[in-house]
């Protein structure tokens, strides 16, 4: 932890210098984002998504499209798109799921958004919903929960030079590519949000995807230094190899490549309220400079 504390002291100094002018802050954000993309690793070549809409359910005030696409050849991503029955282009959010075993299982928030004219795409993470990887001969879940599966999967990912976080980030990025390709979606009004593990996914996605104009990070927003002090590196879905080599990277993912972000944290959640407030103040100062 001594090295971590020293890295964060240096980060505070760098951020203080960056806050002196819009030009300095712009250069700071660009550099830490470059470092973030470097440690996230090389991403696959983009290939046709091979989208299938397998079913459409019509409900009062909205409809839900059941979607499967391939983020890369033969890697299937399952999702549900909620949207109003109104015509024209829809503002759209991407909902990234927390660690619930059933992933995109229907919930109230996407319905509420759809009924108010904001489409929402809910994506099954790797190891959740329809994307379980460890099952027994009866098709039943074979581990004690999603976080255990994420950690087991990540061990294999690291062995071949990537991470479970990077794979999921790519799936989410390609989901946005799908939304942009649709004539009924407004590519200039794309947001992303998630809670708990979905907050992690949101944080990692907004540093790389330039289509995102607004983001809400819920029950994850904190300071990495404090998280490491309290509980260690957490689940496998949060591990990015070589993160420690680039301590400023955590700054980059507070700034969406194309817009702004807002945190939400509650007591008793994965976030640490005091450090969440501290990080919020730092982000606010950076946005004020820009």
């Amino acid at each position: 932890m001594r090295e971590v504390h020293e890295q964060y002291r240096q980060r505070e100094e760098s951020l203080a210098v960056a806050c002196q002018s819009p030009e300095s802050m712009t250069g700071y954000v660009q550099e830490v984002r470059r470092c973030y993309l470097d440690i996230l690793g090389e991403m696959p070549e983009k290939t046709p998504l091979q989208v299938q809409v397998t079913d459409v359910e019509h409900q009062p005030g909205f409809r839900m499209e059941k979607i499967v696409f391939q983020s890369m050849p033969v890697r299937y991503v399952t999702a549900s798109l909620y949207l109003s029955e109104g015509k024209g282009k829809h503002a759209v959010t991407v909902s990234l799921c927390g660690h619930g075993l059933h992933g995109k299982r229907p919930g109230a928030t996407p319905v509420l958004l759809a009924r108010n004219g904001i489409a929402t795409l809910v994506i099954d993470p790797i190891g959740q919903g329809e994307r379980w990887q460890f099952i027994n001969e009866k098709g039943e879940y074979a581990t004690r929960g999603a976080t255990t599966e994420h950690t087991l999967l990540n061990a294999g990912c690291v062995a071949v030079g990537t991470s479970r976080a990077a794979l999921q980030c790519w799936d989410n990025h390609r989901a946005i590519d799908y939304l942009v390709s649709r004539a009924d979606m407004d590519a200039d009004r794309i947001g992303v949000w998630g809670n708990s593990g979905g907050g992690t996914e949101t944080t990692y996605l907004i540093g790389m995807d330039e289509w995102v104009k607004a983001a809400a990070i819920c029950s994850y927003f904190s300071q990495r230094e404090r998280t490491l002090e309290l509980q260690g590196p957490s689940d496998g879905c949060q591990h990015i190899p070589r993160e420690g080599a680039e301590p400023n990277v955590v700054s980059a993912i507070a700034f969406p490549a194309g817009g702004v972000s807002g945190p939400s944290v509650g007591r008793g959640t994965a976030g640490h309220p005091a450090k969440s407030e501290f990080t919020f103040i730092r982000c606010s100062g950076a946005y004020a400079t820009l």
Side-chain angles (χ1 to χ4, degrees), residues 6-241:
E6 176 60 21
Q7 288 174 331
Y8 273 81
R9 186 191 65 79
Q10 293 174 9
R11 190 187 77 161
E12 284 294 298
E13 292 178 354
S14 299
L15 189 56
V17 172
C19 283
Q20 293 177 4
S21 71
E23 294 76 18
S24 296
M25 181 57 68
T26 298
Y28 175 82
V29 172
Q30 289 174 345
E31 174 60 18
V32 293
R33 182 169 293 120
R34 181 196 65 77
C35 292
Y36 169 59
L37 294 176
D38 179 60
I39 67 166
L40 198 60
E42 184 177 357
M43 293 296 174
E45 179 182 353
K46 288 190 176 183
T47 54
L49 291 167
Q50 307 290 359
V51 179
Q52 295 177 280
V53 179
T54 62
D55 192 19
V56 180
E57 293 185 7
H58 294 270
Q59 300 290 340
F62 75 99
R63 71 179 187 272
M64 182 181 71
E65 298 180 3
K66 299 179 181 180
I67 294 166
V68 181
F69 66 88
Q70 296 182 41
S71 62
M72 60 184 296
V74 201
R75 188 155 95 214
Y76 296 92
V77 181
T78 47
S80 298
L81 178 62
Y82 297 75
L83 64 166
S84 72
E85 298 286 7
K87 298 185 181 299
K89 288 182 175 289
H90 300 270
V92 59
T93 69
V94 179
S95 173
L96 301 177
C97 299
H99 284 133
L101 188 61
H102 299 289
K104 66 177 183 333
R105 182 168 58 183
T109 304
V111 172
L112 179 64
L113 290 169
R115 285 175 171 164
N116 283 275
I118 302 174
T120 299
L121 182 69
V122 189
I123 305 166
D124 272 333
I126 301 168
Q128 295 169 245
E130 296 183 83
R131 303 183 70 192
W132 295 353
Q133 304 298 305
F134 294 99
I135 57 176
N136 61 24
E137 64 279 1
K138 298 180 180 179
E140 300 168 335
Y141 206 64
T143 73
R144 65 179 183 179
T147 55
T148 301
E149 176 157 325
H150 293 170
T151 301
L152 293 172
L153 289 171
N154 190 60
C157 290
V158 172
V160 295
T162 185
S163 64
R164 192 270 181 196
L167 295 179
Q168 187 61 57
C169 198
W170 180 252
D171 290 349
N172 298 337
H173 174 63
R174 294 294 278 149
I176 292 179
D177 286 344
Y178 166 62
L179 293 173
V180 170
S181 75
R182 288 183 58 133
D184 57 350
M185 298 294 142
D186 187 345
D188 292 324
R189 294 190 295 165
I190 295 178
V192 59
W193 57 278
N195 180 64
S196 189
T200 307
E201 290 185 40
T202 299
T203 306
Y204 290 170
L205 176 62
I206 62 180
M208 71 170 291
D209 198 300
E210 295 187 357
W211 286 109
V212 176
K213 297 300 189 292
I217 304 166
C218 305
S219 300
Y220 170 79
F221 196 81
S222 185
Q223 187 185 49
R224 189 65 165 162
E225 179 185 22
R226 185 58 172 160
T227 300
L228 292 172
E229 284 180 329
L230 290 175
Q231 63 190 56
S234 302
D235 311 311
C237 57
Q238 299 187 27
H239 299 177
I240 300 179

